[in-house]
Amino acid sequence: MTNLALFGAAGRMGQALIHAVQHQPAARLVGAIDRVEAVISDTLRISPVWPDQLDVLIDFTRPEATLLALEECLRRNVGMVIGTTGFSPEQLGAVQAAAKQIPICLSGNFSIGVNVALQLVEQAARQLQGFDIEIVEAHHRHKVDAPSGTALMLGEAAALGAGRVLKDVAVYERHGHTGARDSQSIGFSTVRGGDVVGDHTVLFLGEGERVEITHKASNRSNFAQGAVRAALWLHGQPAGLYSMRDVLA
Ligand code: NAD
């Protein structure tokens, strides 16, 4: 049995995670932590209090909050599943440093479907030489970072397949007189609005044809189930920085 606690339990993903943990027989929900307090049921209360017997913390919050949780997990020597997105390079450095002492599974997307799409995108980019690569993503109106962590992961997969380095070829903005498209670039377009849970399309645009690889999330349960699966896998692993690829291997 693995003792799990949720950080960001009152949030959209937190709610989906409470449900997912409660339906996973191998996991016990020992804490629902958030800065917001709420009573969920007779036995479950969301509060800022950390539980004593904890094996793995699942974090879906904001980067600043993740760093606070990281310190607490280091102090308690417990593993962490990090689903939060929008980290700066410095913040990411802190996560990498902590992974020298505790096991951490970090992924911008915990859905199984997206992780398969990543492999398809890498393969397509490898074979569709000479095609232009563009990534379009859509999310609900409350999302605070752009492009999404998933769009960036798809960009990394496409760059890897095409033999490029994403940071050298990524184009995040186009406005005004942009000039013609650089054939090596990988462009990102962002749509925000309504209640879209998460749509991603990678386009490979050639002469007279195009290939589109699309993933659409219709609710948050797929992310939550993947994160719980990652937490069960992480329990007992040595210190290190893992990804969903390791969990599914
Ligand atoms: P949300 O705003 O609904 O929830 C965030 C929660 O974090 C809130 O309840 C908030 O009170 C809590 N929080 C913030 N700071 C805190 C602190 N210092 N201490 C304790 N709690 C704190 O957001 P959401 O839609 O649930 O998304 C959360 C994060 O997860 C975002 O970064 C989002 O991009 C990411 N996300 C990742 C995946 C994935 O598969 N990796 C999927 C969906 C969302």
Side-chain angles (χ1 to χ4, degrees):
M1 187 65 81
T2 303
N3 290 327
L4 302 180
L6 309 175
F7 197 59
R12 283 175 288 265
M13 275 305 299
Q15 300 295 301
L17 280 156
I18 288 173
H19 189 77
V21 177
Q22 287 179 334
H23 285 82
Q24 170 51 258
R28 187 188 295 128
L29 184 61
V30 294
I33 312 166
D34 204 291
R35 57 185 175 186
V36 177
E37 295 200 45
V39 176
I40 299 291
S41 69
D42 290 351
T43 51
L44 184 61
R45 187 186 173 81
I46 295 177
S47 82
V49 179
W50 283 64
D52 291 330
Q53 292 177 322
L54 175 61
D55 297 317
V56 179
L57 181 80
I58 303 180
D59 161 80
F60 280 77
T61 52
R62 293 282 176 270
E64 304 74 33
T66 302
L67 294 196
L68 296 176
L70 205 56
E71 281 176 27
E72 193 66 33
C73 286
L74 281 170
R75 209 172 60 74
R76 294 164 178 260
N77 197 29
V78 299
M80 212 171 153
V81 168
I82 302 179
T84 301
T85 62
F87 293 104
S88 68
E90 294 73 32
Q91 289 168 327
L92 219 44
V95 174
Q96 285 160 348
K100 294 195 166 72
Q101 291 175 57
I102 54 172
I104 295 177
C105 182
L106 173 74
S107 178
N109 195 308
F110 279 97
S111 107
I112 312 289
V114 159
N115 281 278
V116 171
L118 286 169
Q119 294 175 32
L120 297 175
V121 165
E122 185 183 328
Q123 185 194 342
R126 184 168 296 121
Q127 295 186 275
L128 297 172
Q129 294 292 336
F131 282 57
D132 296 326
I133 306 174
E134 294 282 314
I135 299 172
V136 183
E137 60 104 332
H139 279 86
H140 54 88
R141 59 169 70 102
H142 304 291
K143 186 162 178 62
V144 295
D145 54 317
S148 70
T150 306
L152 292 170
M153 289 165 72
L154 289 163
E156 293 283 4
L160 186 67
R164 301 170 203 162
V165 176
L166 185 64
K167 72 173 174 39
D168 297 340
V169 297
V171 174
Y172 297 112
E173 285 174 19
R174 291 187 183 114
H175 183 233
H177 184 80
T178 58
R181 188 182 193 283
D182 179 338
S183 65
Q184 294 297 294
S185 65
I186 296 179
F188 290 82
S189 305
T190 299
V191 176
R192 289 286 175 269
D195 60 356
V196 182
V197 175
D199 292 356
H200 295 86
T201 297
V202 182
L203 300 105
F204 296 89
L205 303 121
E207 290 291 332
E209 62 174 345
R210 64 177 182 266
V211 175
E212 301 184 6
I213 297 175
T214 295
H215 178 271
K216 294 185 180 185
S218 41
N219 64 50
R220 291 178 176 80
S221 66
N222 64 86
F223 307 126
Q225 283 164 16
V228 172
R229 184 165 163 181
L232 295 180
W233 178 88
L234 196 69
H235 184 202
Q237 294 288 340
L241 188 58
Y242 303 97
S243 73
M244 205 49 190
R245 209 172 180 142
D246 300 306
V247 176
L248 299 176

